[in-house]
Amino acid sequence: MHSINYFNALITPSEDCQAVAKVPDKPGSIAHLQYEMLRDAPMVHQSDDVLVTVVGTRKEIPKEEWDDLKNDLFSKGQPCFRTSPLVKTHGWGLYHDSDGRVGLVDPRSDRFQELLDDPEVTTVPGMRNARR
């Protein structure tokens, strides 16, 4: 089974992202659903859980079927949070702790700089929006 979870890692905003910690404003979008989930429960969910919740919600799959959805999704590789619209277009950092739990980090915050300076935290850049 594949997983998109990171551990002790900070995904930084994409190099070519124009926004900085912008709140997604389109209800029901992937970015908005991810943002709400991470804002409302910081450092509670792993990336895998966020993906399943967002896909299940957008496809209106009943929650009791989400275990099957998870098995189906992760039977093959899925794009990780380096491709999240939160990172690519809204300019958020995503920190994953040692248990893989993820939270939003504003790149202008002291916390973001602390994570960048922490030798225990791997820094991973968000995927670019455009090819060079």
Side-chain angles (χ1 to χ4, degrees):
M1 187 154 129
H2 297 272
S3 173
I4 61 168
N5 292 332
Y6 279 88
F7 299 90
N8 290 325
L10 173 66
I11 300 175
T12 59
S14 299
E15 180 183 322
D16 60 347
C17 180
Q18 301 297 312
V20 179
K22 178 179 167 256
V23 175
D25 56 3
K26 184 178 176 189
S29 68
I30 292 170
H32 193 262
L33 292 170
Q34 288 178 347
Y35 174 81
E36 284 187 329
M37 192 170 178
L38 297 175
R39 177 202 62 201
D40 294 347
M43 306 310 294
V44 171
H45 306 287
Q46 292 185 325
S47 300
D48 289 356
D49 303 324
V50 176
L51 175 66
V52 170
T53 300
V54 169
V55 170
T57 300
R58 286 179 53 99
K59 292 187 175 187
E60 299 180 352
I61 297 171
K63 285 187 180 183
E64 56 272 7
E65 296 176 21
W66 285 8
D67 283 340
D68 292 336
L69 172 62
K70 183 174 184 174
N71 290 332
D72 184 50
L73 284 172
F74 294 110
S75 66
K76 52 191 175 292
Q78 295 295 319
C80 70
F81 265 24
R82 291 182 61 215
T83 66
S84 167
L86 293 175
V87 171
K88 289 180 71 170
T89 57
H90 296 289
W92 287 95
L94 296 174
Y95 171 62
H96 300 75
D97 69 9
S98 60
D99 294 318
R101 297 173 302 211
V102 62
L104 297 165
V105 185
D106 185 330
R108 301 167 293 202
S109 70
D110 291 340
R111 178 69 175 140
F112 188 84
Q113 190 60 51
E114 289 168 7
L115 292 166
L116 284 177
D117 295 340
D118 187 336
E120 300 294 316
V121 175
T122 302
T123 302
V124 184
M127 299 290 285
R128 292 178 50 83
N129 289 294
R131 292 185 177 163
R132 287 187 186 209

